[in-house]
Amino acid sequence: MRILINDGMHPKGVQLLKDAGHDVDTNFIPQEELTSKLNSYDAVLVRSATKIRKELIDQSPNLKLIGRGGVGLDNIDVSYAKEKGIAVFNTPAASTRSVAELAIAHLFGIVRSLPMVNKKMAVDGINDFKSLKKTASKGIELEGKTLGLIGFGRIAKETASIALGCGMKIIAFDPYISEGDVPIKLHPSYDNNYKINVKTTTREEVLAESDFISLHIPGGQGYVLDAPEFEQMKDGVGIVNCARGGTISENALIEAINSEKVKYVATDVFENEPPTDDRLLRMDNVGLSPHIGASTQEAQERVGVQLAKSVIDYFS
């Protein structure tokens, strides 16, 4: 089969496909050129950059498989592809640990003013070290704080596992999970039978009772956190988003920061990528990263290998 890998893949995954006898093309084709070129391939493998929409699918009747390296499928018209008999695969578990670790890393950073410190050290670190130290010496610990999770899938559970090790209390809301105690495994290095319960509750309780709120939800559903939701939160709450851009209203978030309703913020994703509004980027108390949640060496290898194996199995 002729396979286009349009957004890159770990070399191990590429080699697996070649060893299985597939003709693999790793040359990037710009989105605007795919309409005229994608029909030359039997399969296309993408990440988040390339969009496979209805119009492109209609222009590619030879296409048999679409693969997405990652969790979300919001850049692919999945239902329409399946209606056309096109298989769709992703790698939902491959980047779980990497995204969870970034969410926790951001939590540690924002409670110790690391975003502000990193920005100002290069400018004021030599001439105003004592003043900067004083400003940055008002951090708090995560131990004993309540972390509310909106969405309680694989990544949220992994985030909860790490946060529990930091001494945090966890509550979670997920519309697809009944309220009650949900057992989760701690890190695989522990006995696999060792589990701890996490309370799943209402959305309203998560908003009202959490010291920090972390999003773990797919995109495409509009704002999950907007002005009304911020009003329900504690004063001085912290917000972390390593899920999808467009799930938080950036305008409402900025207003909540300015009113001091929200004290701590970290985001790996933005409403527009690259961002077109620099207000969040310029705030000292906001932790920033450029959509790198799944971008560790280990996760990239797992993504490539798992996706390649799914393709090989399908065409076998």
Side-chain angles (χ1 to χ4, degrees):
M1 297 294 173
R2 191 162 188 236
I3 300 171
L4 172 64
I5 300 175
N6 211 46
D7 294 337
M9 176 184 272
H10 192 277
K12 285 191 177 180
V14 176
Q15 194 59 50
L16 282 173
L17 291 170
K18 290 180 177 179
D19 290 345
H22 296 292
D23 179 5
V24 180
D25 184 354
T26 59
N27 292 309
F28 174 72
I29 298 176
Q31 185 75 47
E32 62 271 15
E33 296 180 18
L34 281 171
T35 301
S36 60
K37 295 181 179 180
L38 187 57
N39 198 43
S40 300
Y41 300 90
D42 299 288
V44 58
L45 308 183
V46 303
R47 295 298 300 268
S48 58
T50 300
K51 309 295 189 291
I52 309 294
R53 301 297 186 201
K54 178 180 182 295
E55 296 77 13
L56 183 56
I57 292 170
D58 285 338
Q59 294 295 321
S60 310
N62 291 328
L63 196 62
K64 303 174 182 65
L65 181 148
I66 302 169
R68 161 75 161 90
V71 180
L73 287 164
D74 38 297
N75 57 322
I76 300 168
D77 283 342
V78 177
S79 297
Y80 189 73
K82 290 181 177 180
E83 285 178 17
K84 292 292 185 177
I86 300 171
V88 180
F89 293 97
N90 66 338
T91 57
S95 58
T96 297
R97 184 71 186 187
S98 296
V99 180
E101 286 191 3
L102 182 64
I104 295 296
H106 271 308
L107 266 177
F108 275 116
I110 56 181
V111 298
R112 297 302 298 271
S113 301
L114 295 188
M116 180 273 291
V117 170
N118 281 320
K119 289 178 182 178
K120 292 187 178 297
M121 275 294 291
V123 178
D124 302 325
I126 294 176
N127 298 321
D128 201 15
F129 187 84
K130 289 185 178 179
S131 176
L132 181 58
K133 179 179 178 180
K134 184 177 180 180
T135 301
S137 296
K138 300 176 182 178
I140 63 172
E141 297 176 356
L142 294 178
E143 184 178 13
K145 308 302 189 297
T146 297
L147 175 63
L149 303 170
I150 297 182
F152 201 49
R154 291 183 183 90
I155 295 172
K157 289 174 181 175
E158 192 76 9
T159 302
S161 173
I162 303 171
L164 286 165
C166 299
M168 301 190 81
K169 176 185 175 182
I170 310 297
I171 56 176
F173 165 72
D174 192 305
Y176 301 104
I177 298 177
S178 300
E179 294 177 34
D181 289 335
V182 175
I184 65 167
K185 293 181 180 180
L186 295 184
H187 190 268
S189 61
Y190 290 92
D191 184 337
N192 284 334
N193 293 320
Y194 190 81
K195 298 179 181 179
I196 192 165
N197 286 334
V198 169
K199 178 185 177 183
T200 54
T201 184
T202 64
R203 175 174 169 273
E204 289 72 23
E205 182 173 350
V206 168
L207 293 175
E209 300 298 325
S210 299
D211 299 302
F212 298 91
I213 295 173
S214 183
L215 268 61
H216 300 277
I217 54 178
Q221 54 186 304
Y223 296 143
V224 174
L225 297 184
D226 203 342
E229 287 72 35
F230 288 119
E231 284 299 315
Q232 298 176 56
M233 298 177 191
K234 289 183 176 181
D235 291 341
V237 69
I239 305 293
V240 176
N241 187 8
C242 291
R244 280 288 183 270
T247 52
I248 299 178
S249 165
E250 291 182 3
N251 284 328
L253 176 59
I254 290 167
E255 289 180 7
I257 295 169
N258 289 334
S259 71
E260 299 184 348
K261 165 64 75 170
V262 173
K263 184 174 182 179
Y264 308 99
V265 180
T267 185
D268 185 50
V269 292
F270 303 87
E271 286 194 46
N272 297 292
E273 295 185 5
T276 55
D277 184 341
D278 67 353
R279 288 177 295 167
L280 275 178
L281 277 60
R282 293 181 178 277
M283 289 183 165
D284 287 341
N285 60 334
V286 176
L288 303 166
S289 53
H291 203 153
I292 57 169
S295 299
T296 62
Q297 295 178 34
E298 295 88 346
Q300 293 306 302
E301 180 176 333
R302 289 192 295 265
V303 166
V305 170
Q306 289 180 20
L307 189 56
K309 286 182 177 179
S310 294
V311 174
I312 293 166
D313 290 344
Y314 182 79
F315 286 126
S316 294

